[in-house]
Amino acid sequence: MLTYEKLLRRISERDFASAGKSVWGRELYYYRVGRGEKKLFINGTHHGNEYITAEIALDFYDYIKNRTGNWSIYVLPMVNPDGTAICQGLLPKSTDTYEHIRRLNGWKDLYRVWRKNANGVDLNHNYDASFKSEGVSGGAYPESEPESRAVVNLVKKENFDMVICLHAQGEEIYHGFRGVYPDGSRVIAEAMAKASGYKVSEPTGSASFGGMKDWFTHKFSRPGFTIEVGRGENPLPEEQLPGIEKRLFPAIEKAMLTYDEVLC
Ligand SMILES: [Zn+2]
């Protein structure tokens, strides 16, 4: 199980920086690999119970480090470290914080189910793309949360050419926003689908607005993707890691190569 503390140990061996802090003050670390002029941004674990995506994002380094081509790849493995800690049962019990979070969750059990951040906001509904709060815990207003604000600031600062958001689960690839598809988006999605065996899908209902991919696609009209890795019930078991990575990593590499072919 990849905890925030383990993530800190692994990231320290790389070229890394912090994009900001979580509600409870955890640094949102990202690493950079490659020195090419095109910039890809990969992020994981917007949702606490999808922490397997943080491990995948960390492992990607070894796969890609010698084959970055004309790309620089920025990887932020854990957008929601507080939510991850809550989901992993690492909150000290019988504290005010623990009771506060339990209240936010209607006194239901938190272990293995918590997805939101420490303010009870679903971070992947907190972006400025047809933002709506009711029914989806999207927060008070777009980017009201320090985690989504940090992601937005990093995107604006680095001006990424392409974004991939890792979620779990379903073996699906989403792209575009509300029926609008940036140039190259469809070809790249299909190339990734072919390489991974995942399916290109249309988001429906609450999955179709307020997310990071939605905001990036809408704001910049550049290819942005949500990839739902693995299959089963979150949190996905560690045993799925090798199988997921074997299908996902070549697909991400293929996205970069396809971008080079169709958009450069
Ligand atoms: Zn998710």
Side-chain angles (χ1 to χ4, degrees):
M1 182 173 86
L2 187 88
T3 61
Y4 180 71
E5 283 62 37
K6 278 193 200 157
L7 176 130
L8 292 186
R9 285 200 291 277
R10 285 190 58 184
I11 215 156
S12 65
E13 298 148 14
R14 300 173 192 171
D15 181 8
F16 74 99
S18 172
K21 285 182 201 287
S22 69
V23 172
W24 288 338
R26 291 182 169 93
E27 300 284 353
L28 306 176
Y29 286 118
Y30 64 94
Y31 69 83
R32 178 181 171 176
V33 56
R35 284 281 176 266
E37 63 184 35
K38 288 279 159 222
K39 289 181 175 179
L40 167 65
F41 178 42
I42 300 174
N43 57 75
T45 323
H46 269 82
H47 293 132
N49 63 350
E50 298 171 10
Y51 54 81
I52 195 166
T53 60
E55 194 146 17
I56 291 165
L58 281 170
D59 290 348
F60 185 62
Y61 179 86
D62 289 318
Y63 176 86
I64 206 69
K65 63 182 175 196
N66 296 321
R67 49 217 288 179
T68 52
N70 62 333
W71 287 82
S72 293
I73 304 157
Y74 295 68
V75 183
L76 202 169
M78 199 181 275
V79 176
N80 184 8
D82 298 343
T84 299
I86 296 166
C87 175
Q88 292 174 338
L90 301 176
L91 263 196
K93 297 221 161 80
S94 339
T95 58
D96 289 351
T97 309
Y98 183 79
E99 291 306 306
H100 170 68
I101 291 289
R102 286 232 308 144
R103 195 177 319 118
L104 286 178
N105 198 39
W107 302 104
K108 292 198 285 274
D109 202 9
L110 311 171
Y111 179 59
R112 292 177 64 85
V113 295
W114 186 259
R115 295 166 58 75
K116 302 167 189 173
N117 76 348
N119 287 332
V121 172
D122 182 329
L123 292 175
N124 211 38
H125 276 116
N126 193 234
Y127 291 88
D128 194 7
S130 298
F131 174 85
K132 188 175 93 176
S133 187
E134 322 84 73
V136 291
S137 306
Y141 52 89
E143 287 116 47
S144 60
E145 303 308 299
E147 295 90 351
S148 49
R149 219 154 46 228
V151 168
V152 163
N153 289 340
L154 182 64
V155 171
K156 287 181 175 165
K157 179 174 155 228
E158 298 294 344
N159 197 21
F160 295 114
D161 298 288
M162 182 161 65
V163 164
I164 294 176
C165 310
L166 299 177
H167 287 256
Q169 48 76 43
E171 300 187 341
E172 288 179 300
I173 299 165
Y174 297 104
H175 69 122
F177 176 62
R178 304 239 138 156
V180 179
Y181 299 92
D183 287 350
S185 182
R186 198 176 295 274
V187 187
I188 295 166
E190 273 157 19
M192 283 198 286
K194 197 166 167 217
S196 61
Y198 285 14
K199 198 168 99 222
V200 180
S201 298
E202 288 283 329
T204 52
S206 68
S208 64
F209 60 88
M212 198 278 156
K213 177 272 291 171
D214 304 324
W215 170 76
F216 179 77
T217 306
H218 183 57
K219 167 111 183 149
F220 296 93
S221 295
R222 296 176 195 161
F225 305 92
T226 291
I227 305 185
E228 298 279 358
V229 305
R231 200 174 268 283
E233 201 178 315
N234 287 318
L236 294 180
E238 281 300 277
E239 298 88 79
Q240 285 204 21
L241 264 181
I244 290 172
E245 294 180 351
K246 203 170 154 204
R247 293 168 69 176
L248 178 72
F249 291 173
I252 296 176
E253 191 181 12
K254 192 74 189 162
M256 292 153 56
L257 295 170
T258 307
Y259 185 107
D260 291 342
E261 274 168 34
V262 298
L263 289 171
C264 287

